[in-house]
Amino acid sequence: MSPADVDTVTQDFSARFGREPAGVWSAPGRVNLIGEHTDYNDGFVMPFALAQAVTMAAAPREDGRWSVTSLNRGEGQGGETEEFGPDDLQPGMTGWQAYVAGVVWALREAGHQVRGADLVLTSDVPLGAGLSSSAALECAALAALAGLDELEIEPLERAKLARRCENEFVGAPTGLMDQAASTLCTVGHALFFDCRTFEARQVHLALDEAGLELLVLDTRTPHTHVDGEYADRRRTCEEAAGILGVPALRDVTDLDAALAALPDDVMRRRVRHVVTEDARVLAAADLLARDRVAELAPLLDASHASMRDDFEITVPSVDLAVATAKEAGALGARMTGGGFGGCVIALVAAGTADAVAARVATAFAGAGHGAPTHFVGLPSAGAGRLR
Ligand code: GLA
C-alpha cells in the first residue's frame, strides 16, 4: 500500500457513487520468515506483514446488498464490479468476489449484523505469488465491514473469521497463519504465533541494525495443482498424527521414535519436515529475542532443504532462485508460503538486494525460466483504518 492508494480508492469511490466513502481500511500481505506447513499441524509460524496491501474504501448502502469494485481488474484496469445480496451468500461461490462475500457470510454466521455496503479496492500484493493476496483481501474486507458497522471484534477473532471465509466459503483448507499475520502484525516485528494456543508474540526484527535486508524474489512460476498438493500434504500429516496417536504433529516429542513407527518413507519425510520445522521456528524466535538476526541464515537454509527434500513442495525455479541467491552472497534463503512456485526470501547484506536479484535473473534466463521480480520486504503494520 502506498499513501497514493488511499487517494486512489477515495477518489474512485466518490466519482463512482457520487458520495464520499465513510472510511478507508487496509490489510497487508505477508512473507513467512520461517515455519512452513506447520500451522495446520497446530505448530509454530513466524511471518511478518509486508508494506504491500489491499486498500479499501467503503460506505454503507441502504438496500442491504454489497458491491465490490477491484481497480486492479477490468479492461485497461478501469475496474471490475461485482454485486451480491444476502441470497447469494452460499459457500462454494467462485471468483475473486468470493473472498469478500465469504467475509460477509462469516460475520453473519458468527451472529454479527452486517449492513449492505459499497466497496472499492486496490491491491499491490502480487497475486498468486505466495504472499497471501487472498488473506489480505479477506482481512481488508473484514476491517472495512466491521468498521462501517462499528463491530467490536478482537484482531485474533478477525483472523479466525477471515480463515473461516477461506476454509468454509471459498473452500481452501488452509491454516490460520496468513490471516493472523494480516491482522496481528506490527511495524518492525515478525509475529511468533502458536497455532494451537494462539499465543501471539511480537518479535523485534532488527534487520537495519544488523546491516541486513530481506530480499523477496517472485519466481513468477504459476502454481499448477497447488490446491490438490496442499490438501494432499495436509491429509498425510493428519493420517500420520492418527497413526502416532497424537492430536497433531505438534505433539511429536521423540522424532526418531515417531519415524520408526510410521509405515512408509513418504510419510516419514513429511513428518520429519513438520517436526524439524517447528523446532526451527522456536530456534529462530529465540535468536530474534536476542537480536541475533544474522544467525537466522542457517535456519532458513535448513528450512528450504527440508521443504525441497522431505516435504517436496518446491519446484526447479524456486530451488534455482535459492541456490543462486546463496552463490551471490545471501546469508540464507528459502521458499516462503505454501509452495509449488511463488516467492523466495533471502537474507542479504543491506544494499545488495538488487545485485543478488540480478544474479538470479541471469540464472533464470539461462535456465529458460521467465524473468523474476523482486523487492525488499519491510516488516509493516497489520490491518487497520487509514482514513
Ligand atoms: C498457505 C496457507 C497457510 C500455510 C502456508 C504454508 O499460505 O494459506 O495457512 O499453511 O501455505 O506454511
Side-chain angles (χ1 to χ4, degrees):
M1 187 270 307
S2 75
D5 290 342
V6 180
D7 292 335
T8 302
V9 291
T10 303
Q11 283 156 16
D12 183 276
F13 191 103
S14 305
R16 204 172 281 273
F17 297 110
R19 67 192 203 281
E20 290 292 305
V24 177
W25 290 263
S26 84
R30 59 102 190 92
V31 289
N32 187 18
L33 211 44
I34 197 155
E36 226 62 83
H37 287 259
T38 45
D39 60 354
Y40 57 78
N41 288 301
D42 276 6
F44 311 108
V45 294
M46 208 162 62
F48 70 78
L50 291 168
Q52 287 83 346
V54 171
T55 306
M56 193 178 278
R61 58 188 261 176
E62 298 309 322
D63 63 357
R65 294 176 63 79
W66 295 269
S67 86
V68 53
T69 300
S70 168
L71 301 181
N72 303 109
R73 293 176 181 269
E75 261 185 40
Q77 311 244 343
E80 181 180 299
T81 301
E82 297 289 343
E83 199 177 305
F84 51 89
D87 294 345
D88 302 315
L89 299 175
Q90 304 294 339
M93 183 194 270
T94 53
W96 63 272
Q97 69 275 16
Y99 293 92
V100 177
V103 165
V104 176
W105 173 85
L107 281 165
R108 288 161 54 113
E109 287 285 302
H112 297 290
Q113 301 286 331
V114 193
R115 278 182 299 170
D118 290 313
L119 310 163
V120 173
L121 71 95
T122 186
S123 175
D124 60 357
V125 186
L127 293 180
L131 299 177
S132 291
S133 56
S134 57
L137 177 53
E138 291 155 4
C139 294
L142 209 131
L145 292 166
L148 288 181
D149 283 324
E150 295 178 5
L151 305 176
E152 291 198 3
I153 310 173
E154 292 298 317
L156 176 61
E157 208 46 46
R158 291 175 184 230
K160 290 181 183 174
L161 287 171
R163 181 202 184 180
R164 210 169 156 197
C165 157
E166 180 101 30
N167 289 175
E168 295 178 41
F169 195 85
V170 178
T174 59
L176 184 57
M177 169 170 70
D178 303 344
Q179 294 81 8
S182 192
T183 53
L184 299 175
C185 282
T186 58
V187 177
H189 295 90
L191 175 77
F192 171 84
F193 190 67
D194 180 330
C195 299
R196 171 174 283 164
T197 65
F198 308 126
E199 177 200 350
R201 207 183 326 138
Q202 303 295 334
V203 189
H204 186 211
L205 187 52
L207 288 162
D208 272 3
E209 292 89 324
L212 296 170
E213 56 194 13
L214 197 90
L215 166 64
V216 183
L217 275 159
D218 183 355
T219 64
R220 302 178 76 202
T221 306
H223 298 213
T224 39
H225 309 306
V226 61
D227 290 350
E229 294 281 4
Y230 187 97
D232 170 78
R233 295 302 182 282
R234 186 170 179 154
R235 209 175 313 112
T236 304
C237 290
E238 285 164 1
E239 269 173 39
I243 293 170
L244 296 170
V246 289
L249 292 183
R250 145 76 170 271
D251 301 299
V252 172
T253 47
D254 182 341
L255 179 58
D256 290 337
L259 296 179
L262 291 170
D264 80 284
D265 181 55
V266 170
M267 190 178 269
R268 277 193 287 273
R269 286 186 290 121
R270 302 295 187 253
V271 169
R272 187 165 59 196
H273 165 73
V274 173
V275 174
T276 58
E277 185 78 349
D278 268 338
R280 284 185 286 270
V281 180
L282 294 174
D286 185 52
L287 286 170
L288 288 185
R290 290 177 287 140
D291 279 339
R292 290 160 69 167
V293 189
E295 290 172 55
L296 288 182
L299 295 172
L300 302 182
D301 293 342
S303 171
H304 188 77
S306 179
M307 291 190 287
R308 183 189 60 212
D309 303 336
D310 279 352
F311 220 59
E312 295 180 287
I313 52 172
T314 69
V315 292
S317 60
V318 162
D319 292 332
L320 180 64
V322 165
T324 311
K326 290 279 295 176
E327 280 163 27
L331 283 72
R334 64 181 286 274
M335 185 187 74
T336 187
F340 307 100
C343 285
V344 158
I345 55 172
L347 193 62
V348 301
T352 67
D354 289 343
V356 173
R359 286 274 296 274
V360 174
T362 304
F364 268 41
H369 299 308
T373 57
H374 75 280
F375 59 90
V376 171
L378 301 175
S380 301
R385 184 169 192 156
L386 300 177
R387 178 174 283 174

